[in-house]
Amino acid sequence: MEYLVDLAEKILNEALNRGAQDAIVRVQEKVYESIVFDNGILRVCSISRVSGLGLTVFVGGSVGYSYASIVDRDSIPKIVDEAITVAKALEYGSEKRLVCEEVKGARGSYRTEFKVNPFDVDLETKVKLVSNLNNESMKKEGIVSAFTRYGCEIDRKYIVSSFYSKVQVEVVAIGLSHLAVARYGDIVERVGDQKTFIGGYEFIEKFDWSSFVNEINDLAYKASQASTITPGVYQAVVDNELVGLLLHEAFGHASEGDAVYSDLSVLKGRLGQVVASEKVTIVDDGMVSGGYPVPFDDDGIEKKVTYIVKNGVLVGYLNSIVTAKKLGQIPTGNARAQDITFNTIVRQTNFYMLPGDAKVEELFEGIDYGVYLKGRGAGGGQVNPALGTFTFGVGPSYIIRKGEIGELVRSVIVSGNILEVLKNVDMVANDLNVSTSVFGGCGKMGQMVRVGDGGPHIRVKKLVVGTR
Amino acid sequence: MIDIDRLIGKTLKRAEELGASEVELHVVEEKSVSIYATSKGIEGIKKGTIVTADVRVSIGKKVTVQGCVVSSENDVLNLVEKAVSIARVVPEDPNWVSLPRNCGYTTTFDLVDDKVKVFDIDMLTSIVKEALRLPPQVDRRASANEVVVDTGVIRKWIANNYSVNPVSYEKTSFSFVVEVKASEEGFESSYYRYYNAPTLKEFDLEAMVRDAVNIAVATLKAKPIETGRYNVVFMPTVFAAILRALLVPAVRADQVQKNRSPLARKLFTKVLSENITVIDDGSAPNMIGSAPFDDEGVPTKRKTVIDKGVLLTYLYDTYTAYIDNQESTGNAIRPGLGSPPIPSATNIIVIPGTKSVEDIVKDVRDVLVVYATIGEWLSNPVNGNLGATVTNAIYYRNGEPIQPVKGVAISGNIYRLLNEDFEELSKEVELAGNMLVPAVCVRNVAIAGEKSG
């Protein structure tokens, strides 16, 4: 990657010399180690490397982006030419600057601290860990299939821009995921979960993976013996693992500046309006503990804490330098790209609800018949921010009867409306939890980026609950 | 530029020198141009080239795959060294037999479109501008809020120590998405249509935009309906998404072998209605999943997976075929860099029925016609349980639209819905990514909507 860093400033200067009003050069190298045991057999043991360079140019009122994996001094003119040529082909002819005037690029660096470099740990040790967990799972009662995965990613970026950005970021994320499929009679059910740390192999060494995997196996087997919930509308307590998924789908995407600008968000034109109960405050924070570190965005802008909802009122959107200009707002450091084959779009970083003051047990009081929705095994979600309709999967959950947690139910999904769901939050607990994943992330326009999400336990007056 | 043929030769030789029993090299060069527009106009354009390589080596029964983005010839040679060193230390795979020994070609048509290949920016921008211009002309309440055109040229080479020469092909891809928004009296709705195929042959911009506008407008005042059980027509793109989430994983041989498929031990038994025939065709003309060979070089082919409701075969790559003492069905797909191939669908074709959607809606009397859902991929392939949330639907009674619907959760099990609860397949079919399918009408779908159940 070093030779690409050397070339980055040369490419930036070349782009500006050749007529770009503004330009951003992003150099990236991602290394991903993956070890997978599937039903006792090693299926993947690989270290893959993705690297290259991307150039964004702002010229003549339009945006051009070019990228290449094969880059050397001789190919600089070609990369610059491609970006400028495609931008000029749009022939907008405007001299208006596309990024906001007051944009101030960040200068600095961030590096994940670690004690043990995961790539220094010998392969046999890692293979043995995953093998043991997977093979032990296959011996458990009721488990008919088990898929166990170790993942470690080092994501290095170097970004320079015409607005003086010069940032270097290196994030190390490491973790383990496990999927158990259980059978009871004719009923087959699955539960998957993962645990990710930002740091080195010391986290793998310290964590009790045996208990983690066993809990998933047990839950899968219990779920295969549980009944399904009757579809309908329920009063619900949402746990602090699931609440982040709810917020990400129900509110995060609709608050993204590009959706707002292109009139594809129901939150457009609602700044200053009440969109949630007064107990709800939501932020997007690049550096919260437990989340995925985003100290600077991929346009080289510092990512600060952004308030989206304050005491129930919509107070902000997430913006890149481009959407900020279009919406007349300030950049919030939310321009992100999956890798060099994509230009940046507006993305969440770590989107979560601030804790309230209720104790978790107080949330169940007074619920005559409801559901306790759990995050373990949830599996993800999706939203159409223009319609305001969202959905997400839920792990095995529990019926609530007269304030008490009752029987387990399996195969749950939730559907809802962005403008209604957070207005129905009537209690917020004090147990904030934020987490991330090295195995997945958020998908938008064909790009996947690592994100974090979270919040405390919350109580919702009504949610549409279905099965899957 | 890198001379790929020379690199292949050097790679295979290097692996042999290092002591690999077998070696396979998979190289992909992908050039693309993409244009993104909103209702305000074209927002950006990107162009680039990326070359990736995967190396699979075995030493006895120890196997590994390593992958990287290629910036120089040395990257691939380093990859081989890394692969061999890792293969020495990983545990044996008792199921490993061999890399494919039958690499070759199937004749394919409509895999390359010269108009797509030249990356004519003027042509692409004119498509985008037309997609932005048309919606208000079809209906004044409509606008195109997002238009994306993505074109690519993919060149692929695969070689292993059993093949005399590498196999290679070139393929183009053209993808188009238009999201239309409709607004009236404070109500808003949106609906998108997409096209994704190697050529422009079946691309009908005006028809797609018109369709998107009509559905966005027709579902403007959508709201949830009451919780209950309904007859439902899943329109082709929704049916395709359901098959992708639930049926495709269930017929993958690896999932069957790993006890993650409800279709395990169901070969030659009736698993769906006798009205349903499902074909996997890796060489179908102008379908995005087509190629002369699969991702490990085995010739693709057309096979009937479910014939009149009876399960005839699973989808195999070489590894899973050896386990079941079968031949590969040419269904190896590489899910990502450094991952071994897995068996999965190439293109899925469902043989259509004889009635039009209009007649089905009239005949069934009470029916919810679902045009779009989100979250259908959250469904559970290990047991066939469907779960999705409706974003665009219309409730019909006696053939008349009664109420547009959104925000309800639909549930059911596809092996019941497409069997005892199956009603009809439409005669109209649509291309939905790598699927060519009709609409399907089923009974007894559980819907969670307005009131408690």
Side-chain angles (χ1 to χ4, degrees):
Chain A
M1 178 166 160
E2 286 66 27
Y3 78 97
L4 289 176
V5 168
D6 289 343
L7 290 178
E9 295 204 30
K10 289 189 174 61
I11 289 177
L12 177 68
N13 290 332
E14 182 77 11
L16 296 172
N17 288 338
R18 296 178 76 153
Q21 287 166 305
D22 283 293
I24 305 163
V25 179
R26 178 161 38 96
V27 169
Q28 189 173 14
E29 180 188 55
K30 262 189 195 184
V31 182
Y32 198 100
E33 182 175 26
S34 183
I35 299 169
V36 175
F37 272 81
D38 192 350
N39 283 24
I41 291 171
L42 178 83
R43 285 298 287 144
V44 178
C45 181
S46 74
I47 301 166
S48 59
R49 194 171 63 83
V50 176
S51 66
L53 181 145
L55 166 67
T56 309
V57 296
F58 300 87
V59 54
S62 61
V63 184
Y65 182 74
S66 70
Y67 63 90
S69 61
I70 300 172
V71 186
D72 53 30
R73 267 164 217 284
D74 297 338
S75 58
I76 291 177
K78 184 171 177 271
I79 292 165
V80 174
D81 255 356
E82 283 201 335
I84 289 184
T85 307
V86 292
K88 281 188 171 168
L90 301 180
E91 288 179 356
Y92 273 36
S94 160
E95 290 309 310
K96 212 167 125 187
R97 203 176 172 206
L98 286 176
V99 300
C100 34
E101 305 303 328
E102 65 276 22
V103 63
K104 195 172 165 216
R107 294 176 89 85
S109 65
Y110 164 86
R111 197 168 177 216
T112 299
E113 296 293 328
F114 54 77
K115 289 187 181 135
V116 183
N117 184 337
F119 291 90
D120 288 345
V121 177
D122 63 77
L123 200 55
E124 286 100 324
T125 303
K126 292 179 264 194
V127 166
K128 196 173 162 196
L129 168 75
V130 187
S131 169
N132 287 346
L133 292 168
N134 188 262
N135 280 294
E136 286 305 310
S137 298
M138 289 302 292
K139 294 175 191 162
K140 298 285 177 190
E141 184 186 5
I143 301 300
V144 296
S145 186
F147 181 94
T148 315
R149 178 161 55 148
Y150 162 86
C152 176
E153 181 179 83
I154 299 186
D155 189 0
R156 297 189 183 96
K157 288 176 197 166
Y158 177 73
I159 298 152
V160 287
S161 76
S162 58
F163 33 88
Y164 310 113
S165 312
K166 189 170 187 176
V167 300
Q168 255 183 311
V169 177
E170 179 179 307
V171 177
V172 183
I174 191 165
L176 196 132
S177 77
H178 182 70
L179 172 80
V181 180
R183 174 186 282 274
Y184 183 77
D186 287 337
I187 306 294
V188 181
E189 199 46 79
R190 63 173 181 174
V191 175
D193 199 7
Q194 65 85 33
K195 179 79 184 165
T196 292
F197 300 95
I198 301 302
Y201 199 78
E202 64 276 10
F203 286 104
I204 297 292
E205 288 167 337
K206 273 190 281 187
F207 194 74
D208 182 358
W209 294 109
S210 183
S211 297
F212 172 80
V213 163
N214 278 334
E215 284 169 17
I216 295 167
N217 294 334
D218 289 347
L219 186 58
Y221 192 40
K222 280 181 190 153
S224 71
Q225 299 166 58
S227 56
T228 54
I229 194 165
T230 306
V233 180
Y234 288 79
Q235 187 174 9
V237 173
V238 178
D239 83 356
N240 62 355
E241 284 189 49
L242 187 64
V243 67
L245 185 56
L246 184 152
L247 293 174
H248 180 94
E249 301 301 347
F251 230 78
H253 283 297
S255 71
E256 290 163 353
D258 48 359
V260 175
Y261 162 74
S262 56
D263 204 10
L264 283 172
S265 168
V266 290
L267 295 182
K268 184 181 179 180
R270 293 186 191 271
L271 280 179
Q273 291 184 14
V274 173
V275 291
S277 101
E278 62 178 11
K279 295 179 186 300
V280 174
T281 295
I282 302 171
V283 296
D284 182 81
D285 179 354
M287 294 300 287
V288 63
S289 172
Y292 189 83
V294 185
F296 314 103
D297 76 2
D298 292 340
D299 286 343
I301 303 295
E302 186 179 2
K303 173 62 209 169
K304 294 179 179 166
V305 178
T306 311
Y307 277 80
I308 302 299
V309 175
K310 208 177 246 181
N311 302 324
V313 176
L314 183 69
V315 294
Y317 301 126
L318 302 175
N319 277 308
S320 65
I321 49 173
V322 175
T323 62
K325 168 95 174 183
K326 288 170 176 171
L327 294 170
Q329 299 179 345
I330 54 164
T332 56
N334 285 85
R336 304 181 66 194
Q338 173 181 300
D339 55 44
I340 58 106
T341 63
F342 294 95
N343 200 358
T344 56
I345 52 175
V346 180
R347 308 303 294 264
Q348 298 161 65
T349 63
N350 302 291
F351 199 83
Y352 63 98
M353 187 185 291
L354 297 186
D357 49 16
K359 292 179 183 157
V360 173
E361 55 270 27
E362 290 171 352
L363 272 58
F364 294 85
E365 290 170 8
I367 297 181
D368 191 45
Y369 185 73
V371 61
Y372 180 26
L373 298 170
K374 302 283 286 176
R376 171 162 273 179
Q382 192 176 352
V383 63
N384 179 329
L387 285 174
T389 302
F390 67 87
T391 184
F392 56 88
V394 181
S397 295
Y398 295 89
I399 295 295
I400 304 168
R401 278 197 183 78
K402 300 203 181 309
E404 299 291 326
I405 295 173
E407 73 273 20
L408 191 71
V409 285
R410 65 188 170 94
S411 311
V412 184
I413 59 166
V414 164
S415 304
N417 182 286
I418 292 171
L419 294 176
E420 289 169 12
V421 65
L422 293 183
K423 286 182 182 163
N424 285 320
V425 173
D426 64 355
M427 289 185 87
V428 177
N430 56 8
D431 59 335
L432 174 67
N433 170 60
V434 178
S435 62
T436 184
S437 171
V438 70
F439 302 102
C442 167
K444 177 178 169 184
M445 295 176 72
Q447 298 196 47
M448 201 280 293
V449 295
R450 308 269 179 236
V451 292
D453 60 32
H457 272 73
I458 60 169
R459 190 166 83 177
V460 188
K461 283 185 230 165
K462 56 176 188 174
L463 269 180
V464 174
V465 176
T467 65
R468 56 170 165 162
Chain B
M1 278 310 295
I2 297 171
D3 179 341
I4 303 286
D5 289 324
R6 196 173 72 106
L7 178 64
I8 288 169
K10 280 172 87 170
T11 305
L12 298 191
K13 187 162 171 266
R14 184 74 188 123
E16 196 183 327
E17 286 166 3
L18 292 167
S21 315
E22 296 172 292
V23 58
E24 174 192 68
L25 179 62
H26 174 262
V27 180
V28 182
E29 180 197 72
E30 195 165 359
K31 294 181 180 176
S32 75
V33 169
S34 176
I35 300 178
Y36 171 71
T38 67
S39 54
K40 317 284 194 301
I42 294 175
E43 302 287 345
I45 180 165
K46 72 164 184 164
K47 184 176 186 184
T49 303
I50 193 156
V51 181
T52 58
D54 277 296
V55 171
R56 178 161 54 162
V57 301
S58 71
I59 299 176
K61 282 181 174 289
K62 296 179 171 188
V63 191
T64 188
V65 181
Q66 305 296 319
C68 75
V69 165
V70 178
S71 54
S72 71
E73 211 176 85
N74 276 342
D75 284 348
V76 181
L77 297 174
N78 291 340
L79 203 62
V80 173
E81 287 181 17
K82 191 167 72 179
V84 172
S85 70
I86 289 176
R88 288 191 194 286
V89 298
V90 296
E92 287 192 345
D93 180 344
N95 296 324
W96 182 256
V97 178
S98 166
L99 286 171
R101 292 163 185 263
N102 57 337
C103 292
Y105 297 87
T106 294
T107 305
T108 49
F109 300 95
D110 297 331
L111 213 56
V112 176
D113 188 329
D114 288 337
K115 278 189 280 187
V116 174
K117 200 174 158 183
V118 294
F119 293 129
D120 180 347
I121 308 266
D122 287 342
M123 181 193 80
L124 300 177
T125 50
S126 70
I127 288 172
V128 172
K129 285 175 183 169
E130 187 66 359
L132 292 173
R133 191 184 65 82
L134 276 174
Q137 297 198 338
V138 177
D139 192 301
R140 60 176 174 73
R141 292 166 289 184
S143 60
N145 283 40
E146 205 164 74
V147 179
V148 182
V149 169
D150 217 329
T151 58
V153 179
I154 296 160
R155 293 170 72 204
K156 185 172 285 199
W157 297 260
I158 297 176
N160 70 33
N161 54 289
Y162 301 114
S163 50
V164 180
N165 294 307
V167 288
S168 68
Y169 68 76
E170 183 180 65
K171 176 172 152 180
T172 51
S173 67
F174 177 82
S175 142
F176 167 86
V177 183
V178 57
E179 174 144 11
V180 169
K181 183 167 180 176
S183 312
E184 186 184 35
E185 298 166 4
F187 292 95
E188 292 184 340
S189 172
S190 80
Y191 183 75
Y192 74 94
R193 289 298 312 264
Y194 70 99
Y195 175 88
N196 186 14
T199 78
L200 289 158
K201 213 169 176 178
E202 290 157 272
F203 178 60
D204 185 341
L205 174 69
E206 197 176 329
M208 291 177 79
V209 171
R210 194 172 290 279
D211 198 31
V213 169
N214 289 341
I215 293 167
V217 169
T219 54
L220 252 173
K221 295 177 182 174
K223 58 182 183 181
I225 44 172
E226 284 194 13
T227 298
R229 290 193 173 269
Y230 289 80
N231 302 316
V232 172
V233 169
F234 294 116
M235 291 302 278
T237 52
V238 180
F239 187 31
I242 291 169
L243 294 176
R244 198 170 286 127
L246 289 169
L247 188 68
V248 170
V251 296
R252 280 173 48 184
D254 60 334
Q255 300 301 297
V256 173
Q257 291 163 354
K258 297 283 163 57
N259 293 318
R260 295 198 282 267
S261 167
L263 297 182
R265 295 174 295 280
K266 296 270 176 74
L267 271 184
F268 309 113
T269 65
K270 185 172 174 292
V271 294
L272 301 178
S273 157
E274 63 271 17
N275 294 295
I276 298 178
T277 292
V278 180
I279 291 161
D280 177 274
D281 187 351
S283 55
N286 197 31
M287 287 188 76
I288 198 67
S290 291
F293 51 84
D294 71 5
D295 280 354
E296 53 183 4
V298 174
T300 50
K301 61 179 181 180
R302 180 182 173 99
K303 77 244 40 150
T304 303
V305 180
I306 294 171
D307 185 29
K308 299 187 182 76
V310 176
L311 179 65
L312 294 189
T313 184
Y314 301 121
L315 304 178
Y316 288 101
D317 63 349
T318 301
Y319 176 81
T320 52
Y322 275 122
I323 292 172
D324 280 3
N325 202 19
Q326 298 286 317
E327 283 191 359
S328 167
T329 53
N331 284 86
I333 309 277
R334 290 189 190 251
L337 268 186
S339 299
I342 54 165
S344 193
T346 55
N347 300 299
I348 292 288
I349 297 166
V350 176
I351 303 296
T354 53
K355 267 191 191 176
S356 67
V357 172
E358 194 181 346
D359 285 344
I360 294 169
V361 169
K362 273 184 198 155
D363 292 351
V364 179
R365 300 168 73 89
D366 272 298
V367 63
L368 184 71
V369 179
V370 178
Y371 296 94
T373 57
I374 53 173
E376 64 289 326
W377 52 273
L378 291 164
S379 300
N380 194 344
V382 304
N383 53 26
N385 285 345
L386 166 70
T389 293
V390 171
T391 53
N392 300 82
I394 299 174
Y395 179 60
Y396 284 84
R397 196 173 294 143
N398 298 322
E400 295 297 321
I402 302 295
Q403 182 197 322
V405 175
K406 70 172 182 179
V408 297
I410 54 176
S411 307
N413 184 287
I414 61 153
Y415 301 105
R416 260 199 310 276
L417 294 176
L418 299 180
N419 210 339
E420 53 260 47
D421 289 332
F422 173 85
E423 183 73 31
E424 201 88 53
L425 289 172
S426 73
K427 67 178 181 186
E428 303 95 336
V429 291
E430 260 177 47
L431 186 65
N434 70 334
M435 297 202 169
L436 186 65
V437 298
V440 63
C441 179
V442 293
R443 297 180 296 266
N444 226 2
V445 177
I447 291 186
E450 189 67 339
K451 292 177 183 166
S452 55

